[in-house]
Amino acid sequence: EIAPAEILGMNRVVVSTGTDALQRVKESHIGSIENIEDLAIIHYHGEGEGFLTLWTTLYKNDTLASYETEKMVIGIRKFGGDWASTLEEITIDGKIVYLIAPNDLPQYFWVDGVWVFYVTPHNLTPEEVAQIIQAIP
């Protein structure tokens, strides 16, 4: 519900929600996934080559959302490799956004109130990614 129906001409396709989405996320992470109220995995695609995966995660309150985001940053630093070496904090549209680029695949995540968003863009420019981040409430 929080994800726009369309971003940059790309249409939303909900891949997974709730328990199924949580299980998918747990399978792809080393650290613990805790305190989640709801979760959705969404793809955006359109006519062009651009493609985007968006994870939306809802927490009970903004304190937990911020805590879990910081826990992810700490986990990335501990994991090391090109996850940690590419980690940087940037500001987009007044939001603190974390950027990592393991295997040269940029990924962005940020907290906004009770929500944490994580995007993996494919064949999109940094300028387009900034527009995407601005389009997500």
Side-chain angles (χ1 to χ4, degrees):
E1 295 172 8
I2 192 80
E6 181 184 303
I7 298 177
L8 294 182
M10 297 182 294
N11 295 314
R12 175 184 66 199
V13 177
V14 177
V15 175
S16 182
T17 60
T19 306
D20 180 60
L22 181 57
Q23 184 58 37
R24 290 178 186 225
V25 169
K26 284 182 176 182
E27 290 171 2
S28 65
H29 283 77
I30 293 173
S32 62
I33 310 294
E34 302 173 321
N35 302 309
I36 291 176
E37 291 287 306
D38 200 5
L39 177 70
I41 302 169
I42 300 158
H43 287 167
Y44 285 91
H45 59 85
E47 299 290 321
E49 294 181 21
F51 177 84
L52 174 74
T53 301
L54 167 66
W55 289 264
T56 64
T57 308
L58 174 64
Y59 290 91
K60 191 174 289 188
N61 57 55
D62 55 354
T63 301
L64 279 174
S66 294
Y67 171 77
E68 292 296 332
T69 301
E70 186 59 32
K71 192 169 83 172
M72 189 164 33
V73 170
I74 291 166
I76 288 168
R77 287 185 179 128
K78 283 183 180 179
F79 187 73
D82 62 351
W83 288 78
S85 68
T86 61
L87 177 65
E88 60 181 289
E89 187 178 299
I90 59 177
T91 302
I92 297 176
D93 196 31
K95 300 173 188 170
I96 295 173
V97 177
Y98 295 95
L99 165 62
I100 55 174
N103 302 315
D104 293 321
L105 177 62
Q107 300 169 48
Y108 303 79
F109 61 96
W110 68 98
V111 63
D112 191 348
V114 295
W115 292 93
V116 174
F117 300 98
Y118 193 106
V119 297
T120 303
H122 301 275
N123 298 319
L124 297 168
T125 66
E127 294 78 18
E128 289 171 320
V129 172
Q131 291 175 342
I132 289 164
I133 290 170
Q134 292 169 1
I136 299 171

